Amino acid sequence: QVQVVEFGGGLVQPGGSLTLSCAVSGTSILFAQMAWYRQPPGKQRNWVATVENNGATSYADSVKGRFTNSRDVAKNTVNLRMNSLKPDDTAVYYCKLTTPQHNTWGQGTQVTVSS
């Protein structure tokens, strides 16, 4: 059974940094497309970043240059490093695993950017 669990959310001041992690069990992240999405309060869920199974990365314009999505193969985990955080980054952040056999979401982790 494939499972995806996010952790690392919390409260951070504007301009601060935070790293979210997405731990995968039941398959290797090397075989998967791993994506991050976020859902601000009262708004729809939007795509943030992706790392493909070949290691290629892509980012939404709103986070490009501030967020870095990377794989830790030894831990079978994907990490989203978020720098220069803004209040508009406040959202529940979700990790999504996609393979030909699976399309699995995590439960989400809250990130709040506020002074």
Side-chain angles (χ1 to χ4, degrees):
Q1 181 181 1
V2 173
Q3 290 187 319
V4 173
V5 178
E6 306 96 335
F7 54 95
L11 174 64
V12 61
Q13 292 188 342
S17 298
L18 201 63
T19 298
L20 305 182
S21 296
C22 174
V24 174
S25 60
T27 190
S28 170
I29 61 173
L30 291 177
F31 303 143
Q33 178 196 70
M34 300 298 303
W36 290 93
Y37 289 75
R38 65 186 182 185
Q39 187 166 15
K43 298 183 179 180
Q44 67 181 17
R45 190 176 301 187
N46 293 315
W47 171 73
V48 174
T50 296
V51 55
E52 305 290 349
N53 56 5
N54 64 4
T57 56
S58 55
Y59 299 91
D61 287 344
S62 59
V63 307
K64 200 172 294 183
R66 299 188 298 124
F67 289 13
T68 303
N69 195 21
S70 62
R71 300 185 297 183
D72 185 336
V73 177
K75 295 183 179 179
N76 211 35
T77 297
V78 176
N79 299 311
L80 184 68
R81 175 66 175 178
M82 306 184 294
N83 295 326
S84 303
L85 283 163
K86 308 172 183 179
D88 284 350
D89 295 318
T90 295
V92 178
Y93 283 72
Y94 296 90
C95 182
K96 179 185 175 185
L97 175 149
T98 303
T99 70
Q101 298 80 27
H102 301 98
N103 200 14
T104 305
W105 290 88
Q107 82 290 348
T109 185
Q110 176 71 46
V111 172
T112 302
V113 184
S114 175
S115 55

